[in-house]
Amino acid sequence: MSGQQTPDLRVGVVARDTSRDRVGEVMEVGRIWVHLRPLGGGREWQADREDVRVVGDAESLSARVAVANRRSRWGVLG
């Protein structure tokens, strides 16, 4: 993705950090970095902007369902 712009990369969207193979919600977008937070909550991480891509609806839903399933298995509410 190097050198490409991601115009829909903005706060609140679900995105994948391809360098870490993690999905999270975009919390802040800088010129060369993006802060993401795990969908189930937790510690934010910083990724290089060129390694982050916005995910489609199907991948976003799949990630959110995985979080809900984890919470259900471990009895975590919220």
Side-chain angles (χ1 to χ4, degrees), residues 32-53:
I32 59 173
W33 49 261
V34 177
H35 282 176
L36 298 127
R37 182 184 66 195
L39 294 179
R43 183 175 227 155
E44 290 183 17
W45 76 95
Q46 183 173 308
D48 291 338
R49 188 174 178 145
E50 67 183 26
D51 293 333
V52 176
R53 68 170 180 81

Side-chain angles (χ1 to χ4, degrees), residues 1-75:
M1 179 176 220
S2 185
Q4 293 179 347
Q5 293 296 317
T6 310
D8 48 351
L9 186 60
R10 63 188 186 283
V11 172
V13 300
V14 178
R16 176 173 295 279
D17 175 354
T18 59
S19 70
R20 292 178 180 86
D21 196 29
R22 292 180 68 187
V23 175
E25 180 180 356
V26 175
M27 303 306 291
E28 188 174 355
V29 180
R31 209 167 43 91
I32 59 173
W33 49 261
V34 177
H35 282 176
L36 298 127
R37 182 184 66 195
L39 294 179
R43 183 175 227 155
E44 290 183 17
W45 76 95
Q46 183 173 308
D48 291 338
R49 188 174 178 145
E50 67 183 26
D51 293 333
V52 176
R53 68 170 180 81
V54 176
V55 301
D57 291 339
E59 189 174 356
S60 175
L61 178 60
S62 179
R64 291 180 190 277
V65 167
V67 168
N69 286 340
R70 268 194 310 278
R71 285 182 174 164
S72 176
R73 275 192 298 274
W74 292 99

